[in-house]
Amino acid sequence: MLGSLFLLWLTFCLLFFLLRTRRAKNFPPGPQPVPIFGNLLQLNLENPTADLERLSARYGKVFSLYFGGRPAVILNGTKAMREALVTKATDFAGRPGGLLLSHLTQGKGVIMADHGPSWREHRRFALMTLRNFGLGKQSMEQRILGEVEHVAAVLEKSIGKSVDPQTLFHNASCDIICSIMFGARYDYEHEFFQAMIKMMADNSKIANGPWGMIYDTMPLLRSLPLPFQNPLKAYCTVKHHVLGIVEEHRASRSPNQPRDVIDSYLDQMDKRKAEEDSLFNEDQMVVMLLDLLFAGTDTTSNTIRFAVLYLMTHPDIQERCQREIDRVLEGKDQASFEDRHKMPYTQAVIQETQRIASTLPLSVFHCTTKDTELMGYHIPKGTLVIPNLTSVLHEEGQWKFPHEFNPDNFLNEQGELLKLEAFMPFSVGPRMCLGEGLARMELFLILVTLLRRFQFVWPEDAGQPDYTPVFGVTQAPKPYSMMVRLRESQQG
């Protein structure tokens, strides 16, 4: 009797799953899912980008997968990406709930906030405040160049030695955004500072990695003591510390004389105090601060690490950059962001690094805000949408050399910099990365300043370089060592 009831229950569950995962009419095609897992077993959870490329070759530029019983639409290639995120931006501007990242932020802040008034207000506030504190201005340049001096001091102590740069560039980019948000930079050895950096690196790997996918796919396992509990705990710890910084600011601030982003947000809260349902509150503020911290740190530092890796292993490209930098900066004490217009080759190298590294491989997941269509397919409201940015940055037909590191991808025959619609390392549309403007400025000023002073050399005993990235929300190079030499022009 019990056996019969169990079989009946199992049959019912299987039928329910099959009905739930049956693709609706004109929904994008894809492989057949299996009970419980959906299509999870058909992906390499360590890095699914090669599997997504294989599935796209079979099912087209827009196809679907199931994560458990939840359907997801995968966008591949420039045409599909631009139609969804630019032409039909509002239709695809939502953020999905029920994922590890959305549970970390509770749907607050900017990055994982759903499309709506709170997201619009906070994104506008964040961009305006970054501009008020110097984004695009000389004051921000000086902030960045000041931080580069701390990096250079570390490198000068390591001349002729083998160095692991894994945390050095994270330290620098994190300190720049900390100075804007908190009004102060941290010593690289500071305990909380290192905890923040570790939290960002670990959460990035887990959120889009195997344990993150298991968390997203199998809600019944979420209460178990599995590795996906670690980012939840780490995020809460850092959040608690940031709340302490907010309290210090509240006690020492002068209203309407903001020193940093926290003061600006507290001013905004005061202005809206009379509003019955103000969108600005302390919970929103802390998540927005952590969003800015993540957006302003991880992509930039990982891109710099990729750049140094490729420059070491392509010394001819490094040397050509340095010749251009020396010519443009001759007689100048330091670089300016405006100098980029006279350095097309160096800019091409930086953009080619962004392209080949694909530091945001699957962007941040989107969600449809209403029933819509894409490239002839029907996409219902609330569908999870995954923009495969790697498919665009390495797309055949869009690049001269899609699968190799070559700055000529961004240069015409006259050596002038090309503006290409397939170049979208920070995604495109209204939900593109909030930290793009700051990242572009940092990448140029940090790399130009360091290349002017130092030569980066691949150590003789380091073996063959491995360019295979470590997959995550943001993609990083595998750990490597580098040799640093002071350039002859900087000696004596």
Side-chain angles (χ1 to χ4, degrees), residues 34-52:
V34 299
I36 301 175
F37 298 100
N39 296 116
L40 211 59
L41 300 178
Q42 292 163 278
L43 301 174
N44 175 0
L45 301 188
E46 292 292 338
N47 187 342
T49 51
D51 294 316
L52 297 180

Side-chain angles (χ1 to χ4, degrees), residues 299-481:
T299 51
T300 304
S301 56
N302 286 336
T303 302
I304 294 171
R305 287 169 59 208
F306 271 116
V308 171
L309 172 62
Y310 279 100
L311 288 168
M312 283 192 298
T313 54
H314 297 76
D316 55 323
I317 292 176
Q318 181 176 180
E319 187 180 335
R320 186 171 167 185
C321 275
Q322 289 167 327
R323 286 201 304 269
E324 183 178 70
I325 291 166
D326 291 345
R327 176 175 54 77
V328 173
L329 298 185
E330 186 177 7
K332 292 182 68 174
D333 290 336
Q334 56 190 19
S336 160
F337 194 45
E338 278 299 303
D339 291 326
R340 72 191 187 283
H341 299 302
K342 300 173 188 174
M343 297 186 191
Y345 188 77
T346 303
Q347 277 206 83
V349 169
I350 293 170
Q351 292 185 5
E352 177 64 356
T353 301
Q354 292 177 281
R355 184 195 73 82
I356 201 78
S358 186
T359 48
L360 278 172
L362 301 181
S363 186
V364 179
F365 294 176
H366 287 236
C367 179
T368 47
T369 58
K370 65 177 186 179
D371 289 357
T372 187
E373 289 194 353
L374 179 65
M375 295 185 74
Y377 294 113
H378 174 70
I379 317 288
K381 179 181 178 180
T383 301
L384 177 64
V385 177
I386 301 177
N388 182 4
L389 291 183
T390 299
S391 72
V392 178
L393 296 172
H394 298 171
E395 187 175 9
E396 299 276 354
Q398 293 290 339
W399 308 96
K400 301 173 199 171
F401 310 97
H403 305 298
E404 64 180 81
F405 178 77
N406 192 325
D408 285 344
N409 276 312
F410 288 92
L411 298 168
N412 64 17
E413 291 180 1
Q414 289 73 45
E416 299 165 331
L417 195 69
L418 295 169
K419 191 172 182 179
L420 302 166
E421 70 167 9
F423 183 58
M424 48 180 85
F426 298 102
S427 191
V428 285
R431 300 219 64 152
M432 68 190 297
C433 180
L434 183 63
E436 184 202 12
L438 180 60
R440 289 175 65 239
M441 187 179 268
E442 285 183 83
L443 288 172
F444 180 79
L445 291 174
I446 292 172
L447 285 167
V448 165
T449 303
L450 294 181
L451 284 170
R452 190 185 192 189
R453 291 196 200 179
F454 303 104
Q455 182 184 7
F456 298 103
V457 180
W458 184 254
E460 290 181 7
D461 59 353
Q464 288 297 312
D466 185 352
Y467 302 109
T468 310
V470 178
F471 181 75
V473 176
T474 56
Q475 207 158 230
K478 286 185 176 177
Y480 64 82
S481 295

Side-chain angles (χ1 to χ4, degrees), residues 141-162:
E141 288 185 16
Q142 293 308 312
R143 200 186 292 263
I144 295 167
L145 290 168
E147 193 62 41
V148 181
E149 289 305 312
H150 292 281
V151 176
V154 174
L155 293 178
E156 281 178 0
K157 291 176 185 174
S158 307
I159 297 294
K161 302 174 187 173
S162 188

Side-chain angles (χ1 to χ4, degrees), residues 136-185:
K137 302 173 187 174
Q138 195 171 5
S139 57
M140 184 66 80
E141 288 185 16
Q142 293 308 312
R143 200 186 292 263
I144 295 167
L145 290 168
E147 193 62 41
V148 181
E149 289 305 312
H150 292 281
V151 176
V154 174
L155 293 178
E156 281 178 0
K157 291 176 185 174
S158 307
I159 297 294
K161 302 174 187 173
S162 188
V163 184
D164 180 356
Q166 188 155 3
T167 58
L168 178 61
F169 297 122
H170 265 75
N171 291 345
S173 52
C174 190
D175 245 339
I176 291 165
I177 195 69
C178 279
S179 69
I180 301 166
M181 293 194 311
F182 307 144
R185 69 177 296 278

Side-chain angles (χ1 to χ4, degrees), residues 204-382:
S204 172
K205 279 187 270 189
I206 286 179
N208 269 7
W211 287 109
M213 291 190 191
I214 289 168
Y215 181 96
D216 296 343
T217 305
M218 302 176 190
L220 291 173
L221 301 181
R222 289 176 184 173
S223 60
L224 297 179
L226 295 168
F228 47 62
Q229 297 294 345
N230 296 333
L232 295 165
K233 291 174 186 171
Y235 191 86
C236 285
T237 301
V238 174
K239 194 174 173 182
H240 180 74
H241 190 96
V242 171
L243 276 169
I245 297 173
V246 170
E247 287 307 311
E248 290 171 7
H249 274 63
R250 192 175 267 126
S252 63
R253 65 188 274 256
S254 299
N256 299 315
Q257 295 180 35
R259 299 161 293 183
D260 48 38
V261 175
I262 293 178
D263 281 355
S264 298
Y265 198 100
L266 291 171
D267 284 343
Q268 195 69 213
M269 285 172 63
D270 287 348
K271 286 177 190 173
R272 294 167 178 254
K273 202 174 279 183
E275 295 178 13
E276 191 174 330
D277 296 312
S278 173
L279 298 171
F280 284 72
N281 55 63
E282 196 170 87
D283 285 346
Q284 288 279 9
M285 170 172 48
V286 173
V287 176
M288 188 203 72
L289 290 169
L290 291 175
D291 281 353
L292 288 172
L293 188 69
F294 187 82
T297 298
D298 238 34
T299 51
T300 304
S301 56
N302 286 336
T303 302
I304 294 171
R305 287 169 59 208
F306 271 116
V308 171
L309 172 62
Y310 279 100
L311 288 168
M312 283 192 298
T313 54
H314 297 76
D316 55 323
I317 292 176
Q318 181 176 180
E319 187 180 335
R320 186 171 167 185
C321 275
Q322 289 167 327
R323 286 201 304 269
E324 183 178 70
I325 291 166
D326 291 345
R327 176 175 54 77
V328 173
L329 298 185
E330 186 177 7
K332 292 182 68 174
D333 290 336
Q334 56 190 19
S336 160
F337 194 45
E338 278 299 303
D339 291 326
R340 72 191 187 283
H341 299 302
K342 300 173 188 174
M343 297 186 191
Y345 188 77
T346 303
Q347 277 206 83
V349 169
I350 293 170
Q351 292 185 5
E352 177 64 356
T353 301
Q354 292 177 281
R355 184 195 73 82
I356 201 78
S358 186
T359 48
L360 278 172
L362 301 181
S363 186
V364 179
F365 294 176
H366 287 236
C367 179
T368 47
T369 58
K370 65 177 186 179
D371 289 357
T372 187
E373 289 194 353
L374 179 65
M375 295 185 74
Y377 294 113
H378 174 70
I379 317 288
K381 179 181 178 180

Side-chain angles (χ1 to χ4, degrees), residues 39-86:
N39 296 116
L40 211 59
L41 300 178
Q42 292 163 278
L43 301 174
N44 175 0
L45 301 188
E46 292 292 338
N47 187 342
T49 51
D51 294 316
L52 297 180
E53 184 181 348
R54 172 179 54 81
L55 291 167
S56 178
R58 180 173 179 183
Y59 294 104
K61 295 296 185 182
V62 179
F63 68 90
S64 62
L65 293 173
Y66 278 83
F67 294 95
R70 183 176 191 169
V73 171
I74 319 298
L75 309 181
N76 301 273
T78 307
K79 186 178 178 183
M81 205 74 67
R82 296 198 76 85
E83 182 179 333
L85 305 186
V86 180

